[in-house]
Amino acid sequence: TSTPLLFGVVQGGRDENLRKKSAEFIGNMDFDGFGIGGSFAKEDMESAVKWVNEILPEEKPRHLLGIGEPEDLFMGIENGVDLFDCVAPTRNARNGSLYTKSGKINILNTKFREDFTPIEKDCGCYTCSPRHGGASYTRAYVAHLFHGKEMLGGTLATIHNLYFIINLVKKIRQSIIEENFPEFKKEFLGVYLKGQ
């Protein structure tokens, strides 16, 4: 049987001294891992993560709470974060915002009503992949579901977004193993952020 792990959570808001004090105090306790939480503006996040991870033990997992946008994953990993959790992929999906390698698209935009391509052509998720010799769900069909307030629209969008994020993390992991993380980050974000 598996034993639940107990993580200590580092707080301190946007204050460097409070963050470092919290990381030192929590880091010296016998936790199984550490959470990095609290409230900070997106532009302060990278600094706060650096302050904390310079202090927390490297041999134990470090979890960045509530962070899940693609660009934030790269920042966290680059600064020593091992785990993430966030509602962003599902919340975005429920609101019609879908991840693609070329940035997010809003499936509610009129241009998608007659777009009979998958959300992402080479995506292997249930939503985008042809099923049992049939076709994939198209952007037009998913847009139709959203405009008709059909729950299936949000479900298909959620499946796609979660698949996108999970596969992005797999690719990031592979880039670390192959020792080309900086190149992968530059290549991915260069296309992804340009499409925003």
Side-chain angles (χ1 to χ4, degrees), residues 171-172 174-185:
K171 290 174 185 172
I172 292 172
Q174 191 61 38
S175 78
I176 292 168
I177 291 167
E178 294 173 0
E179 299 182 359
N180 67 349
F181 173 80
E183 294 83 0
F184 178 69
K185 175 187 172 187

Side-chain angles (χ1 to χ4, degrees), residues 87-159:
V87 300
T90 56
R91 182 183 55 226
N92 286 341
R94 287 191 311 272
N95 291 307
S97 182
L98 305 174
Y99 297 122
T100 74
K101 287 182 290 209
S102 302
K104 284 189 241 175
I105 62 169
N106 183 344
I107 202 68
L108 296 168
N109 287 349
T110 305
K111 66 181 177 181
F112 297 118
R113 287 185 178 210
E114 295 187 25
D115 184 341
F116 297 100
T117 63
I119 295 165
E120 183 125 72
K121 286 188 177 122
D122 58 353
C123 177
C125 81
Y126 173 83
T127 304
C128 295
S129 295
R131 293 163 318 285
H132 308 295
S136 62
Y137 291 105
T138 65
R139 291 176 174 193
Y141 182 66
V142 175
H144 162 75
L145 292 172
F146 269 93
H147 286 288
K149 308 277 191 254
E150 293 285 343
M151 287 178 55
L152 180 59
T155 300
L156 294 173
T158 298
I159 289 168

Side-chain angles (χ1 to χ4, degrees), residues 157-171:
T158 298
I159 289 168
H160 171 78
N161 277 3
L162 290 174
Y163 184 93
F164 181 92
I165 291 295
I166 290 166
N167 274 312
L168 175 58
V169 172
K170 285 179 183 176
K171 290 174 185 172

Side-chain angles (χ1 to χ4, degrees), residues 74 78 101 172 175 180-194:
F74 281 97
E78 194 169 41
K101 287 182 290 209
I172 292 172
S175 78
N180 67 349
F181 173 80
E183 294 83 0
F184 178 69
K185 175 187 172 187
K186 183 178 180 183
E187 179 186 330
F188 179 88
L189 290 180
V191 175
Y192 179 81
L193 294 176
K194 187 186 265 186

